[in-house]
Amino acid sequence: MRRCLIVDDSRVVRSVARRFIEPLGFAVDEVGDGQMAVAACEQQMPDVVLLDWNMPVMTGIEFLRHLRARDDGDKPIVIMCTTEKDVNHIQEAITAGANEYLVKPFDQDTLTAKFGKVGLG
């Protein structure tokens, strides 16, 4: 089964995202910051990461750079999912290795469309 790691400091966002992602055929794991995401990836690399930008301990962009620097860090598809919607943030995320960008708040159709756009639908 494909695995999705949801990385967000909001339990509500993680819960909503889980409800949208599990019906797409993914086993879902959740963590609350980038440092916890590093540990989760060391245990088992997910197929996709839904990644918030603004989190305590380690931000999403810091995690993304760390992930992409790993030998196997090119494998997961990363969808940034954040309230940061200006073009500079979007460009920074794509340059750091994000495959797609999703602005909060999101609904099931929008999330499903983003998954489809990156070949996960």
Side-chain angles (χ1 to χ4, degrees):
M1 177 175 270
R2 299 180 297 178
R3 300 196 70 73
C4 177
L5 177 63
I6 301 170
V7 187
D8 199 298
D9 58 328
S10 167
R11 283 187 199 155
V12 172
V13 170
R14 292 193 314 258
S15 176
V16 168
R18 176 185 283 273
R19 279 188 303 155
F20 294 164
I21 294 169
E22 284 179 333
L24 299 175
F26 287 86
V28 175
D29 296 310
E30 303 175 22
V31 295
D33 64 55
Q35 190 171 30
M36 294 168 72
V38 168
C41 289
E42 287 173 354
Q43 287 183 354
Q44 183 176 11
M45 189 62 75
D47 298 293
V48 61
V49 178
L50 188 66
L51 181 63
D52 186 22
W53 190 301
N54 298 306
M55 296 178 290
V57 185
M58 179 188 277
T59 68
I61 199 76
E62 291 168 336
F63 164 76
L64 179 56
R65 289 184 179 122
H66 177 86
L67 174 70
R68 293 306 192 210
R70 289 175 50 120
D71 288 341
D72 59 351
D74 61 332
K75 290 186 171 91
I77 292 172
V78 176
I79 301 173
M80 289 295 293
C81 181
T82 178
T83 58
E84 302 294 348
K85 58 186 173 190
D86 63 273
V87 70
N88 292 331
H89 278 93
I90 296 168
Q91 184 60 47
E92 184 176 358
I94 299 300
T95 300
N99 300 91
E100 194 51 69
Y101 203 91
L102 177 63
V103 177
K104 294 178 191 175
F106 58 88
D107 60 20
Q108 186 168 8
D109 291 339
T110 305
L111 182 64
T112 301
K114 290 292 182 177
F115 270 57
K117 189 173 181 181
V118 296
L120 297 170

